[in-house]
Amino acid sequence: MATSSLHTSISPRSFLPLSKPSPKPHRSQVSLRNKQRSCVSCALVHDETDVIPVQSRDLTDHEEGSVVVSQETERDVNEPVVVGQLSFEGFPSSSSAAADMGGDKSRESGEMEKMIDRSINATIVLAAGTYAITKLLTIDHDYWHGWTLFEILRYAPQHNWLAYEEALKRNPVLAKMVISGVVYSVGDWIAQCYEGKPLFEIDRARTLRSGLVGFTLHGSLSHFYYQFCEELFPFQDWWVVPAKVAFDQTVWSAIWNSIYFTVLGFLRLESPLSIFKELKATFLPMLTAGWKLWPFAHLITYGLVPVEQRLLWVDCVELIWVTILSTYSNEKSEARISETVIETSSSSTTPIDPSKE
């Protein structure tokens, strides 16, 4: 019995090596090791890829353990573009260069237009001034034989006054129209210079409009008004002059200011509604503003100056008054135009309610 137990303990299997051979790895373990090796290789090239653990409910993802995701590097938009060794930083694009060229051309064209306008205005002013001075100084050119310069300058004012009186006798309305046209043009020019414009950068169209109103309306209407005023007050009493001044500064001033603003509005191609609004806004202010100047001037007009020479005296004072009228009228017109532009832009930018569409 002892022999049988010994026989069973010493068997051929006991002479085999004691180390047990490792079992064959499972297929899933092999794939897991391969994936680990690929992850290690991905870590070595970290500049190109990142290993991001997956957090999802997919069972396949949990078995694999991780997913390799390519990393996309973003370039800073402000970083200069470098091609080889050439950097294009600081060089303008074609669109900006074209815009700069267009702006330069527009500025050059604007400067050219200003230069042309100044040249035209200077030519007009110099030509008109030269013509006027020449006509005044050469009134006695038929009698200059043997005259000295002192004699020419001495007799020029007297003989020019005589020539004006003769023109009044020949055609009084035309003479007064010419005087009023010149005065209203010069008055508007003074008004523009007073507003801050350079001497030769005036608005020719504005000056032409004012001179046209003076020539066509003020001279002729004033001629008939002063004759009507003499017939309306044919007395020689002390109260006649104050009555004429009061009538002038109420009835006639209201009529003439309304005519002036209305005609200027039509010449500016404004709508009747805009002209009416301007007239309504400026009627009382301009009427009361005239009371600061004209009552004192008209004491001389109706008290000392003869009827035929009244318009010349009034036109001399009109140089001041037209400056005020023209400045006030154009300020109101520009303010109204700017308000219209603002209203138009605000209405165009007003958001539309979707519920009303």
Side-chain angles (χ1 to χ4, degrees):
M1 188 172 178
T3 307
S4 63
S5 63
L6 180 63
H7 178 76
T8 55
S9 61
I10 301 174
S11 61
R13 292 181 179 273
S14 62
F15 291 99
L16 294 175
L18 298 177
S19 61
K20 186 181 291 186
S22 59
K24 186 177 180 179
H26 194 265
R27 183 179 299 175
S28 61
Q29 294 179 353
V30 173
S31 62
L32 182 60
R33 289 175 184 176
N34 293 332
K35 289 183 174 59
Q36 289 177 353
R37 292 192 190 98
S38 64
C39 290
V40 172
S41 63
C42 291
L44 295 176
V45 288
H46 180 69
D47 292 337
E48 296 180 358
T49 60
D50 284 340
V51 178
I52 301 175
V54 176
Q55 297 179 358
S56 66
R57 298 180 180 177
D58 194 354
L59 296 177
T60 306
D61 294 338
H62 285 289
E63 291 178 358
E64 293 180 354
S66 63
V67 175
V68 179
V69 180
S70 299
Q71 180 185 12
E72 296 181 358
T73 59
E74 296 181 357
R75 183 182 298 274
D76 189 0
V77 293
N78 295 325
E79 184 179 355
V81 179
V82 179
V83 179
Q85 297 297 326
L86 296 178
S87 175
F88 294 95
E89 182 180 8
F91 288 89
S93 62
S94 60
S95 60
S96 60
D100 293 338
M101 292 178 62
D104 294 338
K105 289 181 179 180
S106 63
R107 284 193 294 269
E108 290 178 359
S109 62
E111 292 294 333
M112 183 63 66
E113 289 178 359
K114 287 184 178 180
M115 186 178 297
I116 294 173
D117 286 339
R118 285 194 292 265
S119 302
I120 294 174
N121 292 334
T123 303
I124 293 174
V125 171
L126 294 176
T130 303
Y131 176 78
I133 293 173
T134 303
K135 290 294 290 184
L136 292 174
L137 293 179
T138 59
I139 189 69
D140 296 322
H141 67 279
D142 295 334
Y143 312 102
W144 275 1
H145 183 69
W147 283 24
T148 62
L149 180 61
F150 174 76
E151 291 175 339
I152 294 174
L153 297 177
R154 176 186 176 183
Y155 292 107
Q158 180 182 357
H159 293 168
N160 278 291
W161 179 258
L162 293 175
Y164 170 69
E165 288 185 339
E166 290 179 0
L168 286 178
K169 293 178 181 179
R170 291 194 304 268
N171 197 339
V173 177
L174 181 60
K176 294 174 183 179
M177 288 172 64
V178 172
I179 292 173
S180 293
V182 172
V183 167
Y184 270 69
S185 299
V186 175
D188 184 80
W189 182 35
I190 296 173
Q192 294 189 47
C193 294
Y194 179 76
E195 292 170 7
K197 292 184 179 180
L199 188 63
F200 296 126
E201 292 186 7
I202 59 174
D203 187 357
R204 293 190 302 274
R206 172 180 160 179
T207 304
L208 179 62
R209 288 193 296 264
S210 182
L212 188 61
V213 172
F215 176 78
T216 57
L217 296 174
H218 184 263
S220 56
L221 293 178
S222 296
H223 170 76
F224 294 109
Y225 161 72
Y226 289 123
Q227 291 183 350
F228 170 76
C229 191
E230 289 299 315
E231 295 179 359
L232 186 63
F233 301 97
F235 309 103
Q236 300 295 328
D237 297 333
W238 64 269
W239 56 267
V240 173
V241 173
K244 290 179 180 179
V245 173
F247 181 79
D248 186 287
Q249 288 303 293
T250 53
V251 179
W252 172 243
S253 293
I255 294 173
W256 173 244
N257 289 344
S258 301
I259 293 173
Y260 181 80
F261 281 98
T262 302
V263 175
L264 278 184
F266 279 116
L267 291 177
R268 286 194 294 258
L269 303 178
E270 297 178 357
S271 63
L273 182 59
S274 299
I275 296 172
F276 178 75
K277 289 181 179 179
E278 179 184 356
L279 185 61
K280 183 179 179 180
T282 58
F283 182 78
L284 285 178
M286 292 307 301
L287 187 65
T288 55
W291 296 347
K292 301 176 183 179
L293 172 66
W294 284 111
F296 306 100
H298 282 325
L299 290 175
I300 300 174
T301 303
Y302 297 106
L304 300 176
V305 181
V307 178
E308 291 300 325
Q309 278 81 28
R310 281 179 184 174
L311 186 61
L312 181 62
W313 158 252
V314 169
D315 281 338
C316 292
V317 184
E318 286 273 3
L319 284 174
I320 303 173
W321 180 241
V322 170
T323 302
I324 300 173
L325 271 180
S326 180
T327 303
Y328 200 80
S329 174
N330 286 277
E331 284 180 353
K332 291 294 182 181
S333 177
E334 292 174 359
R336 187 175 61 256
I337 291 172
S338 63
E339 290 177 357
T340 304
V341 171
I342 292 173
E343 290 178 357
T344 304
S345 60
S346 62
S347 62
S348 62
T349 57
T350 302
I352 300 174
D353 190 1
S355 61
K356 296 181 180 180
E357 291 183 350

